[in-house]
Each structure stands twice: as C-alpha cells, then as structure tokens.
Amino acid sequence: MNLNLEKISDFSVLTINEERIDAHNSGELKEYLLQMIERGEKHIIVQLAHVRFIDSSGLGALLSGNKNIIAKSGKFALSNIQQQVMSMFELTRLNRVFEIYTDVHDAVKTEI
Amino acid sequence: MCPSVIQVDVIIPTQTKYLDLIGSIGERIAKELDNFTGDREALAYQLNLVLTEATVNAIKHGNDNNPQDTVRISIHLFEQELNIKVYDHGQGFDLATVPAPDFEHPKESGMGIFLIRSLMDSVAYTRQHDCNVLEIIKYLK
C-alpha cells in the first residue's frame, strides 16, 4: 500500500496514495496505524483525497485506528473525503464516530 | 423473464487481489444502463461495493483446505433488473442470523451484509447442489 507520512504542527498526517481500500489492502493499513500508535504517535490525521473507493474492511481499519488512539487519549481525524466515499460513512453512521474535516489544513488547526 | 441484455460470468481463485477486477465490472455495467434515470455515479459505486463485499464473503466462506478453490460471480442485466449471483464452495451460513450492526458501538467487521442489504432490493443465500449462492437483486428505475 502506498502511504505517505508527514508531520504538520503536532499532527502526524498519513496520506493514502491509493484509489481503493478493500479487503486486499485494509489489513496493511490497520497494521500501519497500529504501529504508529505503538511507537507513540498520539495525534493522527488520515488524508483520504486520493481514495475513491472504500469497503467495509477499510472502514474497519480506520475504526481500529480511531479506537486505539482514543484509548490513549489522543486525537484521530479524517480529512479530504470524496463524496461517494463519504456516503459510506453516512450509511454506516460512522460519520458520527469519526472527527471529519473538509481539508487537512483545517484539521491541523484544531486544538489537541 | 426476458432474456438478459448483458451476462457476465467470472471465475476467480479465492484471493482478495481480484476484488478490484470484480468491483470494476460492476462500475462499468452501471455506465451501460441506457434507461437508468437515477444517480449513475452513486449506482456505479454501489455495484462496485456490493460485488466487492459479496466476493469477500464468498472467499471467507470458501473451502480453506483447497488451494484450487474458486468463486464464481454471475451478473445478469435485464431491462428492469440487475441480478448478481456469487457462488462459494464452503460450509455456508444462515443469512437470517447475521445481526444488524450496533451503530452506537460499531465493530471493525461484520458490516458487509448490512451494506449489501441497504443498497440492494433483495438478498438471499441458498444451498444448491455442491455450492452456496448469494443472490442479490437491484431493480433499475
């Protein structure tokens, strides 16, 4: 899976450079997020601008990251979600679970 | 029923790397619907998703002990209806016992059948001879 990690302010911004997250690569995303959390990253933004498709296992991988960060009193947010992908968050009501920002620059300005 | 306008039959090994291929077929079919008046982009995504979730389901419920095991996906497009059948060779499961998701306490897995049910008009899972069939119908308006 093609991922890019950068530091912006106090946030680790993980950009997913894939058009598709499905059961073939979601395990890798979940594992990558868990490793970030294990090595002490507390404030993570996942930037989804390139992602035009996500399935239930992809949502599950993000949910795993969200749960594990919250358990450590950190912050987990999503940004730049495409319209059709957003409809998956709405259908599963996960838009009420995740902190979601239109743009990554809005997300990094929030208080932590 | 009238003969199908398009019929696509695909057989894949039980490997997740083929999900993109199967989902893409659904997207392409959504673009071939001459009389569909709804949101075509949304339908393309939904068919991609439903085919992906149904195929993952068949791979998971497939026969783990057989490396030669396959999943067959059969798509029939009629004038007013899209019919998808996904065949697996595993133990099968009872669709009626698949619980609805708990939205207040979401889990990392188990949303697949919920998504298929939400987006399509009819879902059934039945035993046929030596395999199981997940049959999904979407009425096209």
Side-chain angles (χ1 to χ4, degrees):
Chain A
M1 182 172 233
N2 190 345
L3 301 167
N4 180 56
L5 186 59
E6 62 183 321
K7 204 85 181 167
I8 303 179
S9 303
D10 293 319
F11 289 91
S12 302
V13 178
L14 182 67
T15 301
I16 300 178
N17 292 315
E18 299 281 347
E19 287 197 353
R20 188 176 164 95
I21 309 175
D22 66 17
H24 188 55
N25 58 8
S26 59
E28 200 181 325
L29 173 62
K30 180 177 168 177
E31 192 54 38
Y32 191 90
L33 286 167
L34 286 177
Q35 282 176 14
M36 283 176 72
I37 296 163
E38 270 177 27
R39 64 172 186 257
E41 311 266 11
K42 283 193 80 175
H43 309 298
I44 297 175
I45 299 165
V46 181
Q47 218 255 100
L48 293 161
H50 303 293
V51 177
R52 53 177 290 273
F53 180 88
I54 192 164
D55 76 350
S56 63
S57 74
L59 295 172
L62 296 172
L63 198 55
S64 160
N66 189 58
K67 277 183 183 170
N68 283 289
I69 279 278
I70 286 172
K72 298 199 169 187
S73 307
K75 185 179 168 102
F76 189 90
L78 306 175
S79 77
N80 304 77
I81 301 177
Q82 293 192 21
Q83 187 193 338
Q84 301 292 349
V85 172
M86 191 64 194
S87 68
M88 286 301 103
F89 284 88
E90 289 162 357
L91 191 58
T92 54
R93 321 276 209 279
L94 290 175
N95 55 327
R96 301 190 305 202
V97 173
F98 289 105
E99 257 187 66
I100 295 174
Y101 294 90
T102 311
D103 192 85
V104 68
H105 298 291
D106 297 330
V108 297
K109 281 183 209 154
T110 56
E111 284 192 22
I112 52 178
Chain B
M1 188 178 285
C2 305
S4 52
V5 180
I6 300 175
Q7 178 180 345
V8 182
D9 256 296
V10 191
I11 296 172
I12 55 161
T14 49
Q15 293 171 25
T16 53
K17 68 176 179 179
Y18 298 107
L19 293 174
D20 190 2
L21 169 70
I22 301 303
S24 301
I25 294 169
E27 275 207 35
R28 286 294 289 113
I29 285 177
K31 289 171 187 167
E32 300 298 333
L33 303 175
D34 295 330
N35 301 322
F36 185 71
T37 54
D39 184 340
R40 202 172 285 260
E41 287 300 315
L43 182 69
Y45 190 105
Q46 290 168 7
L47 294 183
N48 188 340
L49 183 80
V50 164
L51 281 163
T52 299
E53 299 288 352
T55 306
V56 170
N57 190 66
I59 290 172
K60 275 189 192 158
H61 290 98
N63 186 347
D64 293 334
N65 300 320
N66 179 6
Q68 306 296 318
D69 192 20
T70 55
V71 172
R72 178 178 158 216
I73 299 110
S74 177
I75 307 167
H76 287 245
L77 174 65
F78 302 98
E79 285 291 336
Q80 305 278 329
E81 176 186 321
L82 183 72
N83 184 299
I84 296 168
K85 291 194 183 90
V86 181
Y87 301 80
D88 72 74
H89 303 102
Q91 294 279 314
F93 65 98
D94 184 359
L95 191 62
T97 62
V98 177
D102 179 352
F103 294 116
E104 297 307 315
H105 307 93
K107 293 205 182 103
E108 287 169 36
S109 61
M111 284 271 190
I113 293 290
F114 162 76
L115 288 172
I116 296 172
R117 278 184 167 143
S118 302
L119 297 171
M120 300 287 118
D121 295 306
S122 157
V123 186
Y125 189 71
T126 50
R127 184 83 193 163
Q128 283 189 4
H129 310 297
D130 61 339
C131 62
N132 307 294
V133 190
L134 183 68
E135 183 173 8
I136 301 162
I137 296 170
K138 174 82 174 172
Y139 300 117
L140 305 167
K141 292 158 216 140

